[in-house]
Amino acid sequence: MCGIIGIIGKSPVTPHLLECLKRLEYRGYDSAGIATLESGLIQRHRSEGKIHNLQERLKTINPQGHVGIGHTRWATHGVPSERNAHPHATEKVAVVHNGIIENFAELRFMLEQKGHVFTSDTDTEVIAHLVTDYLDHGLTPQEATSKALKQFHGAFALALIFQGHDDLILCARRGSPLAIGLGESEMFLGSDALALAPLTQKICYLEEGDWAELSRETFTIYTAEDLPVERPIKETFLTGAMIGKGNHKHFMLKEMLEQPTVMGDVLRAYSNPSTLAPSFPEFPVAAKDIKALRIIACGTSYYAGLTAQYWIEKYARVPVTVSIASEFRYGKPPLPQGGMALFISQSGETADTLAALQYAKDQGQMIVGMVNVPESSIARLSDVVLETHAGPEIGVASTKAFTAQLMVLACFAIYLGGHRNILSEEESKKLFQSLMEVPEAMAHILSEENTVIKIAHALSEARDVIYMGRGTSFAIALEGALKLKELSYIHAEGYAAGEMKHGPIALIDEKVPVIVLAPSDELYGKTASNVEEVIARKAPVILITDLEGQKAFEGRVPLSLSMPTLHPFCLPLLYAIPMQMIAYHTANLKGTDVDQPRNLAKSVTVE
Ligand code: F6R
């Protein structure tokens, strides 16, 4: 959360700072700001709201500095406002920060006693004042920063510029990612390689606890103990074009439409083309020896884990427990020696998931990280990395990353089932072949926009919406409800269809649309009975099912979306698509900000 950027350039850096901030806006959009050095003096420009507001303000000012830092904020301490916007600064230093300084209150108290005057409600401002305090005592910027860093508790990525030093940026990383970009007599730094993609392809990631000193020609990285250290320089293949919207109205729409292609990419990555069998990297524990699997994730990634629980238990007979990362540690769960823990995360940077990973590591678990960002912290801390190959996902609501996670997990279930002798070769092939039909079926569903728009009209006036399903459709119902609430701000809940009668059915009346996911599989009969119970209570039912499933309710439900009929194994991948489309079109009708819903950020790097 929060995006930071820094540039030491050969020409005025403001246009590049703004361009890079735009690419980081998915990390937060409560306020934005930059600081540059103008004739050696720090000049700050900040605006509440999105980067567009800052851009408008800077049009008339047109700063000329060749060194600068920038920030886009997701508010933690202090309301979204100009005075709380980064950079925070004194006359001598300006700082941008991603993360939380947990001991800011005591540091602020100590600094105020010494006469420092604070002008914001943020935790970040203590960084500027503490470094200034050391500069006032004659320390160099490097000495002052290194000394200050040792006093901060919490998680952070920082960038600092200093009055009178126009060939210097200092930066530091603890708990939040930071990448240095190498140019030709220019140096860049940013929260991720995406932001730097148009400027350079040469990236060096800081490791946990590192801090670094950048000039136009060179950079030096130090460990937390101030020892110089080499970190590898990598080529990224990200380009500016890859992260554009193309002709689409929203990133989310573009990313939804990319799903059939992404499914093909995932299948290619996790299968052997000659045998049509799943192919996975070697795990430290053989599949047949896995006693239990713990899956841990947040939000949409958690729902991918819930879906996988059904698959892996049924087809590979491995007991699976799925935990919400932010809750996982609190019961101090005992984890079996030699157990496997799978962490699912699009960004690979989610703070709750990282904290859970650390716990599992300390308990001696084999760590498998399933991430969409191969250079992410979760990938770096994992024993085995399973990449989801969805490509950069910019829309804050996860779409293609979710279905890519599902596809990897489906292949993983077949892989485990085969290696544990639960699935015969023939059964494995049959399941795998059903996955190969997914890209085309997805493309078909994505073309059913007109019916989805009718559903969106029906939902757009609702105050509450219920989603229900059984088995894997329950997991997808939960995902559907999350998508609708985060995009359209309509209250929505997902329930296991059989659970309705244990309480939630009391919510039902003619004003509460109920979206039912009911493929005509072995669970259809029971879900159909639950639909009858809902119809009897006059709720408008929106039925998502195949032609067979529609028959029983012909003329009895106001709206129905017709789905392809494939093997039940692969249906969660298909039923995820209308969940996204319904939320997208409802949000569009309501006029909400689809790509950047209020109060959210794409990469959740605070606990
Ligand atoms: C919802 C959504 C979030 C994320 C969650 C975890 O559309 O995108 O619920 O799934 O914040 O993020 P990652 O997967 O990056 O760990």
Side-chain angles (χ1 to χ4, degrees):
M1 288 169 146
C2 298
I4 69 176
I5 192 83
I7 304 179
I8 313 185
K10 295 184 275 199
S11 53
V13 291
T14 301
H16 284 324
L17 285 176
L18 290 171
E19 188 190 351
C20 293
L21 283 180
K22 274 262 166 218
R23 290 170 187 278
L24 289 173
E25 201 168 22
Y26 73 90
R27 299 176 75 93
Y29 28 84
D30 288 332
S31 64
I34 62 164
T36 53
L37 281 188
E38 310 287 327
S39 311
L41 300 179
I42 292 169
Q43 299 289 329
R44 259 193 316 171
H45 308 282
R46 302 177 294 168
S47 288
E48 192 180 328
K50 296 196 175 182
I51 289 155
H52 173 75
N53 298 348
L54 179 67
Q55 251 168 338
E56 286 301 306
R57 171 173 294 198
L58 286 170
K59 266 184 188 157
T60 48
I61 304 170
N62 198 12
Q64 291 300 305
H66 290 198
V67 54
I69 51 178
H71 188 268
T72 179
R73 179 170 188 241
W74 186 84
T76 59
H77 295 64
V79 296
S81 65
E82 190 175 323
R83 76 190 277 274
N84 287 330
H86 299 216
H88 290 284
T90 63
E91 211 172 282
K92 294 186 175 174
V93 59
V95 59
V96 287
H97 168 214
N98 166 27
I100 294 177
I101 304 294
E102 285 165 4
N103 58 336
F104 83 100
E106 58 193 81
L107 289 173
R108 179 166 173 156
F109 179 75
M110 179 271 285
L111 288 159
E112 280 175 337
Q113 298 293 303
K114 289 177 148 193
H116 287 261
V117 178
F118 283 72
T119 56
S120 79
D121 310 313
T122 65
D123 52 330
T124 304
E125 200 181 349
V126 296
I127 304 171
H129 284 280
L130 189 59
V131 172
T132 302
D133 203 61
Y134 289 129
L135 292 172
D136 289 344
H137 284 85
L139 270 59
T140 64
Q142 291 83 342
E143 290 163 347
T145 304
S146 149
K147 205 159 173 184
L149 285 173
K150 295 183 179 62
Q151 284 172 259
F152 300 137
H153 301 165
F156 49 79
L158 305 176
L160 305 98
I161 56 170
F162 299 85
Q163 181 195 42
H165 293 266
D166 86 341
D167 195 21
L168 179 69
I169 294 183
L170 297 185
C171 60
R173 173 206 163 128
R174 195 190 298 160
S176 300
L178 202 53
I180 296 174
L182 285 68
E184 295 288 322
S185 298
E186 286 184 303
M187 212 55 85
F188 313 101
L189 92 109
S191 298
D192 64 29
L194 267 185
L196 305 179
L199 301 174
T200 179
Q201 248 77 60
K202 275 195 190 154
I203 300 289
C204 178
Y205 290 93
L206 293 197
E207 301 262 321
E208 190 56 14
D210 286 353
W211 66 279
E213 178 179 350
L214 277 58
S215 69
R216 280 181 186 78
E217 298 297 339
T218 185
F219 68 94
T220 311
I221 301 181
Y222 302 92
T223 63
E225 294 75 36
D226 299 336
L227 300 170
V229 66
E230 297 275 328
R231 303 291 182 211
I233 295 171
K234 296 187 174 165
E235 279 292 310
T236 74
F237 299 101
L238 295 169
T239 64
M242 271 168 85
I243 44 183
K245 257 198 303 227
N247 292 327
H248 299 288
K249 186 171 172 197
H250 295 109
F251 278 108
M252 182 179 172
L253 181 59
K254 171 176 172 267
E255 288 158 5
M256 286 191 323
L257 295 172
E258 282 170 357
Q259 290 177 106
T261 312
V262 169
M263 294 303 102
D265 293 344
V266 177
L267 282 169
R268 264 188 298 282
Y270 289 99
S271 69
N272 178 332
S274 52
T275 58
L276 284 189
S279 140
F280 276 78
E282 202 152 306
F283 292 93
V285 178
K288 64 176 177 30
D289 296 331
I290 296 173
K291 299 272 177 298
L293 174 64
R294 191 98 192 198
I295 302 181
I296 300 148
C298 298
T300 290
S301 298
Y302 168 73
Y303 297 139
L306 274 187
T307 314
Q309 179 177 27
Y310 290 93
W311 282 333
I312 294 172
E313 291 194 330
K314 178 169 180 179
Y315 295 107
R317 309 300 296 151
V318 178
V320 180
T321 314
V322 193
S323 305
I324 295 174
S326 58
E327 287 295 320
F328 167 69
R329 288 172 297 157
Y330 300 139
K332 302 244 175 298
L335 301 173
Q337 204 52 40
M340 186 195 251
L342 168 61
F343 294 84
I344 308 176
S345 173
Q346 187 285 129
S347 60
E349 299 295 349
T350 301
D352 291 318
T353 312
L354 271 166
L357 188 155
Q358 204 51 61
Y359 177 89
K361 222 177 173 56
D362 295 345
Q363 297 266 313
Q365 300 302 287
M366 171 182 37
I367 306 293
V368 182
M370 183 176 292
V371 295
N372 196 36
V373 182
E375 305 85 8
S376 60
S377 305
I378 289 178
R380 281 207 294 269
L381 290 167
S382 298
D383 300 312
V384 178
V385 177
L386 303 177
E387 255 189 75
T388 46
H389 298 285
E393 189 178 68
I394 308 295
V396 163
S398 189
T399 52
K400 63 175 180 170
F402 176 61
T403 47
Q405 289 165 348
L406 289 181
M407 188 55 105
V408 181
L409 289 162
C411 294
F412 188 48
I414 304 175
Y415 166 84
L416 287 178
H419 281 73
R420 291 167 65 82
N421 294 326
I422 308 293
L423 294 173
S424 67
E425 211 179 307
E426 199 184 323
E427 285 166 328
S428 293
K429 269 208 171 116
K430 200 165 157 198
L431 293 180
F432 196 74
Q433 251 144 9
S434 80
L435 294 180
M436 289 174 52
E437 292 178 62
V438 164
E440 196 183 326
M442 265 189 184
H444 172 75
I445 302 165
L446 285 161
S447 69
E448 291 289 306
E449 213 179 43
N450 290 343
T451 316
V452 172
I453 291 173
K454 280 189 202 143
I455 295 173
H457 273 284
L459 298 186
S460 61
E461 300 301 320
R463 209 188 65 175
D464 307 287
V465 177
I466 285 178
Y467 286 69
M468 64 185 215
R470 273 175 191 264
T472 49
S473 294
F474 164 47
I476 303 301
L478 291 171
E479 166 62 2
L482 174 60
K483 282 276 122 23
L484 189 71
K485 56 190 151 193
E486 71 178 324
L487 291 174
S488 71
Y489 316 149
I490 294 171
H491 173 239
E493 296 300 336
Y495 290 106
E499 190 65 12
M500 289 294 289
K501 56 187 176 294
H502 298 291
I505 202 162
L507 293 170
I508 300 271
D509 63 22
E510 66 281 1
K511 293 206 185 73
V512 181
V514 178
I515 299 182
V516 185
L517 288 77
S520 59
D521 56 14
E522 56 186 9
L523 305 177
Y524 178 79
K526 287 192 197 303
T527 309
S529 301
N530 303 131
V531 176
E532 295 292 359
E533 289 152 15
V534 169
I535 293 176
R537 283 153 185 92
K538 302 195 169 52
V541 167
I542 297 165
L543 193 59
I544 308 203
T545 184
D546 43 54
L547 284 178
E548 189 55 36
Q550 281 175 328
K551 281 186 192 154
F553 294 97
E554 205 94 67
R556 296 201 300 132
V557 295
L559 283 161
S560 169
L561 179 70
S562 182
M563 296 287 288
T565 312
L566 294 187
H567 191 295
F569 174 62
C570 68
L571 293 182
L573 284 143
L574 301 187
Y575 280 65
I577 303 297
M579 300 299 100
Q580 303 165 357
M581 294 170 77
I582 289 171
Y584 173 80
H585 286 289
T586 309
N588 243 331
L589 287 175
K590 296 205 75 171
T592 56
D593 191 335
V594 170
D595 281 334
Q596 295 176 338
R598 70 185 178 201
N599 304 339
L600 293 175
K602 181 86 184 151
S603 182
V604 186
T605 54
V606 292
E607 278 186 54

